[in-house]
Amino acid sequence: MLDVCLAGTGGMMPLENRWLTCCWTEYQGDAILIDCGEGTQIALKKAGCKLSRLRLLLFTHFHADHTAGLPGLLLTVGNSGKTSPLTIVGPRGLRRVVEALMTIAPALTYPLELVELDASQPGSLDAAPLEISWLPLRHRVPCVGYRITLQRPPVFNPQKAQALAIPVQFYRRLHAGQAVELEDGRTIQPEQVLDGERAPIRVCYCTDTLPIPEIATFAQNADLMIGEGMYGDDEMREKLQEKTHSLFSDTARLAKQAGAQQLWLTHYSPALTDPQGCLDVARAIFPATTAAYDGIRTTLTGE
Amino acid sequence: MLDVCLAGTGGMMPLENRWLTCCWTEYQGDAILIDCGEGTQIALKKAGCKLSRLRLLLFTHFHADHTAGLPGLLLTVGNSGKTSPLTIVGPRGLRRVVEALMTIAPALTYPLELVELDASQPGSLDAAPLEISWLPLRHRVPCVGYRITLQRPPVFNPQKAQALAIPVQFYRRLHAGQAVELEDGRTIQPEQVLDGERAPIRVCYCTDTLPIPEIATFAQNADLMIGEGMYGDDEMREKLQEKTHSLFSDTARLAKQAGAQQLWLTHYSPALTDPQGCLDVARAIFPATTAAYDGIRTTLTGE
């Protein structure tokens, strides 16, 4: 089970009633945060995300609305008593940006481990038990989308085990994928008692970007696709082309092509005061679209 | 008349219900902001302060709770269409800090003019028609308090002018301090029709600091003293000595010694959830003490 929370949903600047977009994903008490704009530490607290669980911070790109909250967040995490390392991942230039921002937060109680990735081509990194992949997006500056994948072990089938008269003490090892030798001399392979692979759980976060087709492939069969909704009105297309952002309808089309289970729209323009009111166009294309709001959360079970 | 607004009143970290301390002073449509922590741009908007009026930004010191909002504020000011220069003042190191923070906001539509001051000794700078003075405070890092002074011209006394049979068209020049020669050959000096100097209007902002006696001199006869109230409870003294901060009672004592008209306490610890509830101790020392709250404002008329 993967818990996902979008603590903020705004773009460009924080507003009194809308925090900047950021995504909190938690699995077994360890949390991953994507992006950290001005005020993100407040948004996370308000949404009930526990900063002490933060293990990994991913930056999509280095515009201020995605990064300016870093010094404050790191200091507040330090005040909560953290001493274990925090890993921060982002496109090349990460080290320069983090070191610059830390000018006003020079002494942390825990080490930072910085991982720069090549934003010009797709890639992945191991964050066992999760896998994190990135996709180059098309924005004014190098920018990536992220996909967090939880692989799930096959389901153990006790009926099959009973039919084979396997003693209970061997169940755990078989479920973990190991063959066992029974006292009667039989060797049991895991496949004999497992019900096959289950689809992984995937959450995908892609903003800021033009609606490039690669996103549909990247988000293929995602349990949750979180995508850009800078404007709801299709008449804004020309403006967004220049600014390299996406419309509600653009992102809904990508979610449909991806075969995603559901889509949350985020990164609203400050001028977009009523995202709900623009939802019809997106839902006509991809019915399982939600105009996300600050603090929206879900638990992805893969069922 | 000087308008003063404390858009935030918190210290250390921004909270859901308390912005970080910052002070907005406005005179004839031009505004001065002291300090800019994470979220200050939201706090200012919420308090009704118009960012388009910002002409001068003063930093007391460079801890993140006083500076981290800079990139976001400057970008938002730029989005409002500003093209005229913005002057930023602060202790030595200002250039390094501003340049570092601007890593995530590299392209502004207006120039920044940076003025570094020597925080080891008092000084002043001209911001006509206002005068800005600073005082070295005692904090873990170089830190200054600021005093904003509005000198007021003497009052023109029409009775005196009428008694001297001075034609009305000369009143304005006399009020501006210029001697005039009348058609009948008499020369009139301004002193003959003015009622003497009026006390200037002064607002004084001193945080973060130990309660050093120099503050009382610096805030002498201030119309409004804004001072540090990290904790209300005197039992926190030992902790604050180490952290170089002040108690409610410390600052009330300084306001009394200064003969200030009124005192606003600010820069509350996040642990101080009810500043109002701690006010008795301070008021027993200096009755005109207010536990400031986000958005508190006043107009200082000097009357």
Side-chain angles (χ1 to χ4, degrees), chain B residues 59-78:
Chain B
F59 282 115
T60 57
H61 65 299
F62 303 128
H63 279 154
D65 55 337
H66 296 251
T67 55
L70 182 70
L73 180 90
L74 296 185
L75 286 169
T76 298
V77 165

Side-chain angles (χ1 to χ4, degrees), chain B residues 144-177:
Chain B
V144 296
Y146 286 104
R147 185 179 62 214
I148 299 173
T149 304
L150 173 63
Q151 298 291 352
R152 294 189 300 165
V155 176
F156 185 80
N157 186 328
Q159 282 79 33
K160 287 184 178 176
Q162 283 160 14
L164 290 166
I166 301 169
V168 172
Q169 66 265 32
F170 295 107
Y171 285 14
R172 182 182 293 264
R173 283 166 56 196
L174 285 162
H175 193 189

Side-chain angles (χ1 to χ4, degrees), chain A residues 38 68 71 101 103-105, chain B residues 20-21 35-38 40 57 59-73 94 97 101:
Chain A
E38 182 174 0
L101 292 177
T103 302
I104 55 169
Chain B
L20 288 167
T21 189
D35 286 343
C36 185
E38 183 175 359
T40 286
L57 173 52
F59 282 115
T60 57
H61 65 299
F62 303 128
H63 279 154
D65 55 337
H66 296 251
T67 55
L70 182 70
L73 180 90
L94 175 74
V97 170
L101 292 178

Side-chain angles (χ1 to χ4, degrees), chain A residues 14 16 38-39 41 46 64 104, chain B residues 14 16 38-39 41 46 64 103-104:
Chain A
E16 191 187 329
E38 182 174 0
Q41 63 166 309
K46 197 166 174 179
I104 55 169
Chain B
E16 191 187 330
E38 183 175 359
Q41 63 165 311
K46 198 167 173 177
T103 303
I104 55 169

